[in-house]
Amino acid sequence: MKADSFYRDVYSLVRLVPRGRVVSYGQVATALGSIRLARAVGYALHALPHGTGVPWHRVINSRGRISFRGDDLRGAVQEERLLAERVEFGPDSAVDWGRFGWDFLGAASCRKLRRRPKGRRPS
DNA sequence: ATAATGACTGGGG
DNA sequence: ACCCCAGCCATTA
């Protein structure tokens, strides 16, 4: 990889997503400055090398579904990993944002304020 | 410098 | 819910 400043930011943010929670490309993009960066965020994750420890599988599309164009294999891997973290998929293969979604801004604020998004546990 | 390529999104049909 | 389309933008060729 070459110009990693953008990648680095994406990876840093994705690394913050806790186990059992998911975020959308758009959320990451917004945290980076603009929703318009969503597509670029996807590009960055696509370029993610192995063994980085970045929980890439916790990033899904705004519709709550795994977003792979054509590559079913990776999609299956992602779903496996999420299921392993107790993330549930509805009948339409979409996750419930209310239960598993994680809010970057809210989390950041809560962290600074030392508060927690109470009553927000899956299961 | 220009053109093509996505792990995207929101809006419309 | 599903499919399609026009914007978007960092990265590549």
Side-chain angles (χ1 to χ4, degrees):
Chain A
M1 305 186 277
K2 210 165 40 172
D4 314 275
S5 126
F6 181 72
Y7 288 165
R8 253 174 59 92
D9 293 339
V10 172
Y11 302 156
S12 301
L13 283 173
V14 175
R15 237 185 275 267
L16 300 178
V17 183
R19 193 166 184 280
R21 294 298 184 76
V22 293
V23 294
S24 70
Y25 299 90
Q27 279 179 284
V28 178
T30 299
L32 280 174
S34 168
I35 180 66
R36 303 188 188 79
L37 296 171
R39 211 162 181 177
V41 168
Y43 193 94
L45 287 181
H46 182 68
L48 178 70
H50 281 56
T52 57
V54 176
W56 56 271
H57 56 283
R58 293 176 192 149
V59 186
I60 59 184
N61 66 27
S62 67
R63 291 163 193 177
R65 313 177 73 186
I66 290 174
S67 210
F68 277 97
R69 331 183 182 193
D71 197 334
D72 300 330
L73 190 55
R74 285 201 186 179
V77 173
Q78 181 169 15
E79 184 175 344
E80 268 179 49
R81 289 207 182 190
L82 288 176
L83 288 173
E85 299 185 351
R86 313 296 180 214
V87 171
E88 299 167 27
F89 288 84
D92 55 347
S93 312
V95 304
D96 183 340
W97 285 113
R99 297 206 292 159
F100 306 101
W102 191 70
D103 181 352
F104 265 120
L105 300 179
S109 302
C110 288
R111 179 180 273 191
K112 289 179 182 177
L113 299 175
R114 295 195 174 184
R115 295 179 52 188
R116 296 188 185 188
K118 59 180 181 177
R120 264 210 175 200
R121 296 178 302 113
S123 134

